[in-house]
Amino acid sequence: MTTAPLRKDAARNWHRIVEVGRRMVDEGTPIQLNDVARAAEVGVATVYRHFPTPEALLETLAVDGLEALVERAFAAGDPWPALRDLLYAGVDAQITDRALAPVFAAPVDALPRTTELKRRLVGRFGELLGRAHAAGAVDPAVTAADLMPLMCGVIFAAGVHPAATTAERAATARHYLTVLLEGIRRRS
């Protein structure tokens, strides 16, 4: 389905709304559409016309990161490095883009594009884990259902760590993920 291009003023408003939403997410401020309208200096109806819910705006902010992770997930490689590298990319992305973690954690998606990207990513993750199991690189008792909450735990732990900068939080998350991966890896 294609949509008609936005008029110049509507496109300008859309970009202003997205910029304000990005700033709020980066600052850790919850997205309230009335606050977004005020900060973007547009009417509340304008914000709701573009983004009917705060979740729709949040998912719009996260789409670039989701697309990059899906692209990364389909990069070729040996089973263990491919799985490991995808998990590191996922941790890095969630630490550097604060829109991603809540979008991953949401039980329901506001936008069909988000649902599609998450479906592809989770499917590929399962394939990579299956390949790693088949290669004997990962403990066969470890499932995708095990790893998903553990990954959330790594992100959470890195987020509450007293690191001052995004780079320090990313390094902490990578360290925690390394500990996790060493625990699930099978050795010959």
Side-chain angles (χ1 to χ4, degrees), residues 118-180:
K118 286 169 66 175
R119 183 193 62 74
R120 289 181 64 204
L121 188 58
V122 168
R124 181 60 174 168
F125 170 71
E127 291 171 14
L128 291 173
L129 182 58
R131 287 179 51 212
H133 281 140
V138 173
D139 182 336
V142 175
T143 67
D146 295 327
L147 280 177
M148 296 299 239
L150 289 171
M151 291 296 294
C152 291
V154 166
I155 299 300
F156 178 79
V160 298
H161 191 272
T165 68
T166 300
E168 290 169 339
R169 277 192 304 279
T172 298
R174 283 172 120 351
H175 172 70
Y176 293 162
L177 181 56
T178 298
V179 171
L180 171 67

Side-chain angles (χ1 to χ4, degrees), residues 5-70:
L6 295 174
R7 293 182 334 253
K8 285 184 181 183
D9 62 327
R12 186 174 46 252
N13 288 340
W14 185 91
H15 286 289
R16 287 167 66 181
I17 294 164
V18 168
E19 286 173 5
V20 167
R22 171 53 65 195
R23 187 174 66 242
M24 291 175 122
V25 167
D26 290 348
E27 293 170 351
T29 304
I31 292 180
Q32 300 295 322
L33 295 182
N34 289 353
D35 296 339
V36 171
R38 190 172 17 268
E41 299 178 349
V42 299
V44 174
T46 299
V47 174
Y48 279 91
R49 197 168 24 259
H50 290 289
F51 303 101
T53 65
E55 293 79 16
L57 177 53
L58 187 64
E59 289 177 23
T60 298
L61 298 172
V63 76
D64 289 343
L66 287 169
E67 288 174 344
L69 282 173
V70 167

